[in-house]
Amino acid sequence: MNTEVVMAYLSGLRLRFARDTRGVTAIEYGLIAALIACFIIVALVQVGDELKTVFETIAGQLTKANSQATQ
């Protein structure tokens, strides 16, 4: 093969590779999905802790009311 032909072919490959953004878009969507998943996990953990506190408070009040009613 001629060196000029090989260089022209490689140059064309480089240009096609530089113009192809499909892989970059997929990576960006993957990163966005991972970030959203992290926010959801953090939100669920915080809500879970708050709900646990609410239910523990209700259970404590019910236990207290039950013990007062049985006396």
Side-chain angles (χ1 to χ4, degrees):
M1 268 192 166
N2 190 351
T3 305
E4 293 173 4
V5 174
V6 172
M7 292 304 290
Y9 176 75
L10 291 176
S11 179
L13 273 177
R14 184 184 57 85
L15 289 174
R16 279 186 279 159
F17 182 73
R19 290 183 189 144
D20 188 8
T21 59
R22 290 177 293 179
V24 174
T25 303
I27 291 170
E28 289 172 351
Y29 282 132
L31 290 173
I32 291 170
L35 186 61
I36 290 171
C38 288
F39 283 130
I40 290 172
I41 290 169
V42 168
L44 289 176
V45 167
Q46 288 180 349
V47 168
D49 288 342
E50 291 175 13
L51 280 176
K52 180 181 175 186
T53 302
V54 167
F55 283 120
E56 286 175 348
T57 302
I58 292 171
Q61 290 176 354
L62 287 173
T63 303
K64 181 180 173 184
N66 187 31
S67 66
Q68 288 176 353
T70 56
Q71 290 178 352

